Amino acid sequence: FEAIVHDMSSFSHGGGHEDFYLVRESIKHGENSGSDDGGSKGGIYFAAQILKAHVNGGSWALVEACSTEFTFEGDSKGFEGAISLRGKDGVLYMLALCEGNYCEETRGKQAGNGRVVVMAREPDTKAVGGCLWKTKRVINLPKTANFIDYSAFAVHHSTQAVAITSQENSQLWVGQLSGGSDESFDPDTAEFTDGKVFDFPRTSTTCELQYCNIEGIHWVSGSEKGTPQMLVAVSDKMKSRGRQSATCQDKDQSIHLFMLP
């Protein structure tokens, strides 16, 4: 799974449980894929899958698995992070960050063309599971987030501060999303500010990349005034067979705390 999303408003919206959503990046759908029969699209295609789980105390149950209307070119460059926001209209929206620029593999490394896909769940009798996460809008990231790839996404609800990371650039973009809190989000008008880019710390002697595999980010501090200052990040395993520098190894498969300058 590329993201685990907590619907922070779920307990108050009924059932006495909390809802969590698990996002699968991009999987093959259709003929002989082991996923579904192609649904309303027909044939073979690649789309993300969003699973819903009810959590109540120490128990949990998987209650639903829905595909996304938004599709990809293959199974290696799909959604890489996601958050949920309850809209002004009461609808739960899923905002998913594409790993590649333009949400593509073909143009995926054309830096500075990041996208966030806004979706809402709708019933669909032609889809397996009877549901589909329909695309409501695709929001462009600002050109200041001039990244080759995008690896994680977090929103601080009370301040609407946003953090987005890049593995290949080993950088962090911090800005704001208008309406970026529950009961305030409007998919038609939401926009990201220009924001600012920060480098993750380089090695002390040769100034090389060392945080090469940041795969998750989350705000851990902040009040209702100003941008929060502390984030927690997690790193994936470094790529093998010489695909990454040896300086990446020390920080892989780790949890990190960062303070903004």
Side-chain angles (χ1 to χ4, degrees):
F1 297 103
E2 294 300 327
I4 299 176
V5 180
H6 180 205
D7 175 12
M8 297 174 66
S9 63
S10 56
F11 192 85
S12 61
H13 277 79
H17 54 259
E18 294 183 90
D19 291 339
F20 286 80
Y21 295 87
L22 296 83
V23 181
R24 298 181 68 183
E25 179 176 8
S26 179
I27 60 175
K28 184 179 180 181
H29 291 66
E31 300 168 8
N32 303 316
S33 67
S35 175
D36 62 38
D37 63 0
S40 58
K41 295 178 181 294
I44 295 174
Y45 64 99
F46 295 88
Q49 186 180 54
I50 301 176
L51 289 73
K52 180 179 181 180
H54 286 169
V55 178
N56 191 350
S59 63
W60 67 277
L62 188 65
V63 297
E64 185 177 84
C66 307
S67 296
T68 63
E69 179 185 40
F70 196 88
T71 58
F72 298 97
E73 295 174 334
D75 60 2
S76 64
K77 298 290 182 183
F79 292 138
E80 195 71 6
I83 59 102
S84 68
L85 289 171
R86 186 72 60 173
K88 291 179 178 180
D89 54 6
V91 172
L92 181 73
Y93 293 97
M94 191 74 65
L95 283 71
L97 175 71
C98 290
E99 179 180 358
N101 287 281
Y102 297 104
C103 294
E104 296 178 7
E105 294 182 34
T106 304
R107 298 184 292 171
K109 292 187 179 296
Q110 293 183 18
N113 296 286
R115 303 288 187 264
V116 168
V117 180
V118 182
M119 300 171 286
R121 181 202 175 279
E122 294 183 7
D124 187 330
T125 57
K126 294 182 180 180
V128 171
C131 53
L132 189 70
W133 283 88
K134 298 277 286 184
T135 303
K136 298 301 178 181
R137 188 180 167 210
V138 178
I139 307 176
N140 294 349
L141 293 180
K143 291 294 185 180
T144 47
N146 190 38
F147 296 157
I148 298 171
D149 73 336
Y150 306 85
S151 63
F153 180 29
V155 171
H156 189 267
H157 284 233
S158 63
T159 63
Q160 302 183 7
V162 177
I164 291 176
T165 61
S166 169
Q167 284 193 1
E168 294 204 34
N169 294 85
S170 188
Q171 289 179 317
L172 166 73
W173 176 88
V174 174
Q176 286 188 309
L177 173 65
S178 56
S181 58
D182 281 330
E183 316 295 344
S184 298
F185 184 70
D186 182 345
D188 294 327
T189 61
E191 296 291 348
F192 293 99
T193 61
D194 285 341
K196 187 176 181 180
V197 173
F198 301 89
D199 290 337
F200 286 113
R202 288 4 185 183
T203 58
S204 57
T205 54
T206 57
C207 202
E208 294 183 73
L209 302 186
Q210 57 179 336
Y211 292 92
C212 312
N213 299 283
I214 299 293
E215 189 80 359
I217 195 77
H218 189 73
W219 296 103
V220 293
S221 71
S223 63
E224 294 185 0
K225 294 182 179 180
T227 302
Q229 296 299 300
M230 184 179 290
L231 299 115
V232 61
V234 293
S235 287
D236 201 354
K237 186 177 181 179
M238 74 171 286
K239 296 177 177 65
S240 60
R241 300 179 181 178
R243 289 179 292 168
Q244 286 186 313
S245 168
T247 59
C248 300
Q249 185 171 15
D250 187 52
K251 304 297 183 183
D252 80 340
Q253 300 184 99
S254 305
I255 299 173
H256 322 283
L257 278 175
F258 297 106
M259 289 289 293
L260 295 180

